[in-house]
Amino acid sequence: MELAFFTTDDGGASLLATDLAVSSWGKDHLHGVAVSGAMARALERRVEEEGRTDLRPARYTVDLFRPATRQPLTFATDVVRAGPRLALVDVVALQDGVPVARASGLFLKPTADTEGEVWMPDVHPSPPPEDVAPPTTEPHVPFLHSDAGWSQDFRAHQNASRKTSWNSAVPVVAGERATPFQAVAAIADGASLVTNWGTRGVEHINTDITLTLVRRPAGTEIGLHAIDRLEQEGIAVGTATVFDREGALGTIVLASLANARRAVDLGKEQWEDDGRRTTSGA
């Protein structure tokens, strides 16, 4: 069976969630990776329909304000502004006519770098060694890094150390190859794993995602590396660097709310590359 978050219905007008899109927060809830990937797909398609092949995604912001369920998802897009060097496009995801999420994409036209010198960091995160995670275009369970080193065993990384993930994107829709933008937009929701995952699992739920990019990823393999985190009175803000095999390419900022009563205990869960999830009582 092909791995994908959605199939299509109504001649492609609606997306129907597969089991792979179901969240650990609830059996009828979709996770943000699937929803964000679907929103990015809708934005990218609208830009293509406008004939703006000269633009590339530079900023993508998602508001996850209502739990998306397994009902059919539809999308309404709107070009807010289009000019010679940019296009700003909005999209709303709807279920039974009710908005469940919204997103905004800023697409810019590349030109040339300036000649002046400006500070930039000289140390960037890197993927796992290739003998651990060989280059691939096939989806796989994320590789994770913490004080425990690199592995795909989530149980080994339920700790309080800084985390990095290395991911190969699942297609958003069955029968379609994930584009690099869809891949990074979907995986961006996974920044919660590197910024909000601690000794008791993930105790915060994302309310938004802001992704910035200086270029498209080189493929559909994406890394996320935690660089900052703040928390006070149940509100957390985490920041991560986005990178691929060619280097750093952007940042992600997440705002999250404490959800400790329904924490996702990743110390008891394990995944297989075919999408199967098992839970232990350990």
Side-chain angles (χ1 to χ4, degrees):
M1 180 179 176
E2 180 185 359
L3 291 181
F5 293 132
F6 299 94
T7 58
T8 57
D9 196 10
D10 298 332
S14 301
L15 297 186
L16 303 178
T18 67
D19 290 344
L20 201 60
V22 176
S23 170
S24 296
W25 296 109
K27 293 182 179 179
D28 192 43
H29 291 174
L30 307 187
H31 53 66
V33 175
V35 175
S36 181
M39 303 279 275
R41 174 179 176 268
L43 288 174
E44 193 170 48
R45 285 183 154 213
R46 183 59 189 268
V47 172
E48 290 174 356
E49 289 170 2
E50 296 294 318
R52 297 306 303 271
T53 57
D54 58 325
L55 305 178
R56 65 189 185 198
R59 193 263 300 145
Y60 170 69
T61 300
V62 184
D63 292 309
L64 302 166
F65 51 81
R66 182 176 282 119
T69 68
R70 298 198 67 165
Q71 295 183 67
L73 269 171
T74 60
F75 303 89
T77 59
D78 178 51
V79 178
V80 178
R81 170 77 169 95
R85 299 184 63 186
L86 66 82
L88 179 63
V89 186
D90 287 352
V91 60
V92 177
L94 304 108
Q95 291 189 313
D96 197 23
V98 177
V100 296
R102 67 179 182 182
S104 173
L106 178 64
F107 296 78
L108 301 180
K109 184 174 182 177
T111 54
D113 291 336
T114 57
E115 296 182 3
E117 295 183 6
V118 182
W119 176 88
M120 289 192 293
D122 53 11
V123 177
H124 294 290
S126 58
E130 290 192 7
D131 60 342
V132 173
T136 184
T137 58
E138 297 298 320
H140 61 64
V141 174
F143 287 87
L144 301 160
H145 186 275
S146 67
D147 286 348
W150 283 107
S151 80
Q152 291 175 294
D153 186 347
F154 279 57
R155 296 164 296 186
H157 301 283
Q158 188 142 298
N159 55 48
S161 64
R162 178 179 293 195
K163 294 179 176 63
T164 305
S165 69
W166 181 249
N167 315 266
S168 185
V170 172
V172 175
V173 175
E176 297 180 9
R177 180 172 299 194
T179 67
F181 177 53
Q182 291 172 23
V184 70
I187 290 168
D189 182 75
S192 188
L193 284 185
V194 299
T195 61
N196 285 326
W197 186 8
T199 58
R200 295 191 177 186
V202 179
E203 298 183 279
H204 296 75
I205 188 166
N206 290 358
T207 59
D208 77 341
I209 307 163
T210 297
L211 165 69
T212 59
L213 298 168
V214 295
R215 61 174 172 83
R216 286 187 177 91
T220 56
E221 290 184 295
I222 308 293
L224 306 177
H225 176 70
I227 57 174
D228 194 19
R229 186 177 190 278
L230 300 169
E231 181 177 0
Q232 188 167 337
E233 297 178 340
I235 299 174
V237 176
T239 308
T241 294
V242 186
F243 64 100
D244 59 13
R245 292 192 183 273
E246 295 184 0
L249 59 123
T251 61
I252 297 168
V253 177
L254 299 177
S256 307
L257 289 172
N259 203 33
R261 291 184 179 180
R262 298 180 62 192
V264 176
D265 187 351
L266 295 173
K268 295 181 180 179
E269 295 191 350
Q270 190 64 11
W271 285 263
E272 304 294 335
D273 286 341
D274 62 5
R276 289 180 295 121
R277 178 170 57 194
T278 58
T279 303
S280 70

